[in-house]
Amino acid sequence: MAAIRFQSTEAKAAAATTEEYDVVIVGGGIAGSALACALASNKASSTLKIALIEAFDLSNHIKWSPRPDQYSNRVSSLTPKSVAFLKKIGVWAELDSSRVAACEGMQVWDGVSGARITFDAANVDGVQSSFLHQVFSGSIPTPPGVNNGTNQENLGDRKDASPLAWMTENLHVQYGLQKQLVDHQARGIKLDVFEKTKVQGITTEQGESAQLAQGDWPAVQLDNGKTLVTRLLVGADGVNSPVRSFAKIESLGWDYSQFGLVATLQIDPSTSTAPGQGKGIAWQRFLPTGPVAMLPLNNGYASLVWSTTPKIAQDLKKLPARDFCALVNAAFSASPAELEYLYKNIGPNGEPLVDFQKEIEWRTSVHDQEASQTMIRGSSSSQDDAKPPRVVDVQENTRAPFPLRMRNSSSYVEDRVVLVGDAAHTVHPLAGQGLNQGLADVECLARVIETSLLSGSDIGNIHSLTPYSSERFLPNLAMLGTVDKLSKLYNTDFGPVVWARSLGLTAVDKMGPIKNEIMRFAMGLEEPSNRS
């Protein structure tokens, strides 16, 4: 395989130099790298001269070779729409299918009232036929070798089925993107990757080409002595985007009084709902302190995203593994009052002040006795058949807390500047849509640039960029607003609010057409897919 043309500060230029590009992308994360791949994949934009700038070491991604029993703690759920885009730009074929897990169902319930809603991809009316016809040209079979822990023969027989999402590590997607960058460079695409290179400043500078200079172009000064002057500057540089600051675009929103704790869990394979015993199912329970979610992975593992208070998140990180796993199991079954008791019995250094295992086992036995009495009285509950798999261990060094925030930029475009991904918007992780929103931004922007090139327009002119902003701003704002309201709705145990939200959740669960539309929206199937 050809070596990627990485340039870094380790090979500084002897003197400052200025170089002109058509597109400079600041930020080599998933959004920025995906845009570089998309532009290199499209026929018209593949003729552009592109630069990708990243402060960290991207070359390590292409060397990524994890053990089957190790998973990164940052996992994303890729919707069918996102998978369609990754297939289109050649990235999906580069992924290791054994590290992709299909999520075919989701159980979501209220930790206070027990009200529940169940999602099953097989029950989405019309999803398979219309989606497959428009986006996948007739089929979306399970990628060869993909093992989500389900019976592979049965899953393979369902060639018309599309999961709710595909679960995989962010590092895995980055690996596929870097492989594609190598391939594009090998076939002569003018794509330069500046890794381990920081942006020192961004100014405006008159373009040197008489044909293209129609005003001041952004000039990006790098710490390797180079200055990149570009017709279009793309900010894919995260929530604290220097590109957004350069364009004087305001970022609106707020920080939640919550942290998200991520971890990689090992689950008991004998649990009836473990991936090895049934479908790949995602579990999410709303607690007054924030939602806790368990996402299916392969090889007997799952990914945890637990949104809670900053103090609880830090305490969870410090707990011994045995007690942490016990508390995770309790988070999906114990009452909020019982959880509060356990939280208060975590010492200042993370040591448990009571025997968590015995406390939880005793409380579980009490709940089981109450459930048995309920069944004897003839009021059995179907929820007994829908319990999450039992956690038996946590992978070392995977517990990590991070602050939660909601942001949306006042604009996504200015003349010669455009924002994508977290530079444009940041969402609470309870819906798992952050990465999907970023990939939708990239798909749209690549298509808008392609259209501008085919019509002979200047790709950096704000009028050429307006279709991108028009298409992406309102859907992103709607997603951010919906997730924010859900977060606030469930972040309370106030009686009337609990009653109202539980009534609504139960009602929606019984309304097939409405539930189908929710699933279609979450799977990214509501947006038109017949664009050229």
Side-chain angles (χ1 to χ4, degrees):
M1 178 169 29
I4 195 165
R5 293 196 304 270
F6 283 117
Q7 303 183 42
S8 74
T9 54
E10 294 174 354
K12 292 182 181 291
T17 60
T18 298
E19 196 164 353
E20 194 173 283
Y21 286 85
D22 295 301
V23 180
V24 169
I25 304 166
V26 179
I30 290 179
S33 296
L35 179 60
C37 286
L39 294 176
S41 299
N42 292 338
K43 186 174 181 181
S45 58
S46 65
T47 62
L48 299 175
K49 186 177 181 182
I50 304 163
L52 179 65
I53 305 167
E54 172 54 44
F56 296 102
D57 189 354
L58 286 176
S59 61
N60 285 338
H61 290 139
I62 206 165
K63 302 171 187 175
W64 182 71
S65 181
R67 292 181 357 210
D69 61 345
Q70 285 188 337
Y71 283 87
S72 166
N73 59 7
R74 299 306 295 266
V75 171
S76 290
S77 59
L78 296 170
T79 65
K81 184 176 187 296
S82 293
V83 171
F85 172 61
L86 292 176
K87 291 181 72 172
K88 179 182 176 182
I89 64 174
V91 173
W92 192 253
E94 302 283 4
L95 302 187
D96 181 350
S97 58
S98 69
R99 300 188 75 87
V100 180
C103 178
E104 297 183 90
M106 188 170 186
Q107 294 274 348
V108 181
W109 70 103
D110 190 323
V112 179
S113 69
R116 183 180 296 248
I117 187 168
T118 301
F119 297 105
D120 189 335
N123 295 331
V124 182
D125 296 336
V127 166
Q128 288 81 9
S129 59
S130 61
F131 177 64
L132 296 176
H133 176 72
Q134 295 178 33
V135 180
F136 283 99
S137 301
S139 66
I140 181 175
T142 302
V146 166
N147 181 1
N148 68 333
T150 65
N151 183 310
Q152 285 299 296
E153 290 186 5
N154 293 340
L155 188 59
D157 291 337
R158 295 178 56 199
K159 294 187 183 297
D160 61 338
S162 173
L164 293 177
W166 299 103
M167 303 294 175
T168 194
E169 300 147 281
N170 289 5
L171 279 175
H172 190 199
V173 179
Q174 276 280 34
Y175 165 81
L177 289 166
Q178 298 308 314
K179 292 259 289 185
Q180 271 299 289
L181 291 178
V182 169
D183 291 345
H184 289 312
Q185 290 185 329
R187 65 187 183 89
I189 300 297
K190 292 176 285 186
L191 172 60
D192 293 325
V193 178
F194 297 86
E195 58 100 31
K196 292 190 288 185
T197 304
K198 295 181 180 179
V199 174
Q200 295 285 73
I202 307 174
T203 60
T204 56
E205 183 172 316
Q206 188 72 26
E208 296 178 356
S209 168
Q211 288 182 305
L212 298 177
Q214 299 181 13
D216 287 339
W217 289 13
V220 182
Q221 291 89 33
L222 306 180
D223 66 353
N224 64 0
K226 287 182 178 291
T227 295
L228 310 185
V229 179
T230 180
R231 186 163 26 151
L232 176 61
L233 176 62
V234 181
D237 45 351
V239 65
N240 298 313
S241 168
V243 173
R244 188 182 62 235
S245 298
F246 160 74
K248 294 181 172 59
I249 297 175
E250 190 176 3
S251 180
L252 308 173
W254 48 81
D255 292 349
Y256 295 100
S257 57
Q258 289 183 329
F259 270 50
L261 181 86
V262 294
T264 302
L265 308 174
Q266 186 174 356
I267 61 177
D268 181 356
S270 67
T271 311
S272 62
T273 51
Q277 303 297 327
K279 296 178 182 178
I281 300 174
W283 306 87
Q284 186 171 54
R285 189 186 190 208
F286 283 93
L287 300 169
T289 52
V292 57
M294 189 189 306
L295 310 175
L297 295 173
N298 291 336
N299 303 316
Y301 288 87
S303 178
L304 175 75
V305 183
W306 190 341
S307 302
T308 186
T309 68
K311 182 183 184 307
I312 294 174
Q314 294 295 339
D315 288 344
L316 291 173
K317 180 183 178 182
K318 293 183 288 187
L319 267 176
R322 174 179 179 272
D323 300 287
F324 174 77
C325 294
L327 197 49
V328 171
N329 288 324
F332 286 98
S333 59
S335 70
E338 291 171 325
L339 289 172
E340 186 66 26
Y341 166 79
L342 295 172
Y343 299 151
K344 290 180 178 178
N345 278 282
I346 301 176
N349 297 317
E351 74 278 10
L353 304 181
V354 296
D355 190 325
F356 276 26
Q357 196 76 34
K358 288 184 178 179
E359 286 281 344
I360 293 168
E361 287 176 357
W362 175 76
R363 293 169 191 277
T364 301
S365 68
V366 171
H367 290 313
D368 290 344
Q369 289 177 8
E370 291 175 350
S372 298
Q373 291 299 319
T374 301
M375 293 182 66
I376 291 173
R377 291 194 297 267
S379 178
S380 62
S381 171
S382 61
Q383 292 184 14
D384 292 334
D385 298 326
K387 293 180 180 179
R390 189 172 68 90
V391 178
V392 295
D393 201 0
V394 57
Q395 189 173 298
E396 190 176 0
N397 298 323
T398 62
R399 280 182 275 176
F402 58 94
L404 303 184
R405 53 175 63 97
M406 194 276 278
R407 295 282 192 279
N408 195 45
S409 298
S410 58
S411 172
Y412 290 176
V413 300
E414 287 292 341
D415 198 41
R416 308 212 173 276
V417 178
V418 60
L419 305 176
V420 297
D422 285 352
H425 46 78
T426 306
V427 66
H428 193 292
L430 73 86
Q433 291 300 312
L435 180 58
N436 294 302
Q437 284 183 283
L439 290 174
D441 292 347
V442 168
E443 185 276 331
C444 177
L445 179 58
R447 177 166 29 85
V448 166
I449 291 173
E450 185 88 350
T451 300
S452 295
L453 289 169
L454 292 174
S455 65
S457 303
D458 179 357
I459 63 171
N461 187 281
I462 193 168
H463 298 296
S464 299
L465 298 171
T466 297
Y468 163 75
S469 183
S470 299
E471 182 175 323
R472 293 303 306 152
F473 190 88
L474 287 180
N476 284 336
L477 186 62
M479 177 65 75
L480 266 63
T482 299
V483 172
D484 179 63
K485 288 178 176 61
L486 278 174
S487 174
K488 292 175 179 175
L489 177 65
Y490 280 93
N491 195 25
T492 180
D493 56 1
F494 182 56
V497 175
V498 173
W499 176 82
R501 74 194 184 198
S502 300
L503 184 65
L505 195 66
T506 302
V508 170
D509 191 45
K510 297 180 183 299
M511 297 177 182
I514 294 178
K515 195 160 70 166
N516 287 344
E517 287 305 307
I518 293 173
M519 282 191 282
R520 288 177 63 85
F521 178 72
M523 295 167 75
L525 307 183
E526 289 299 335
E527 298 180 42
S529 54
N530 57 352
R531 305 175 181 115
S532 58

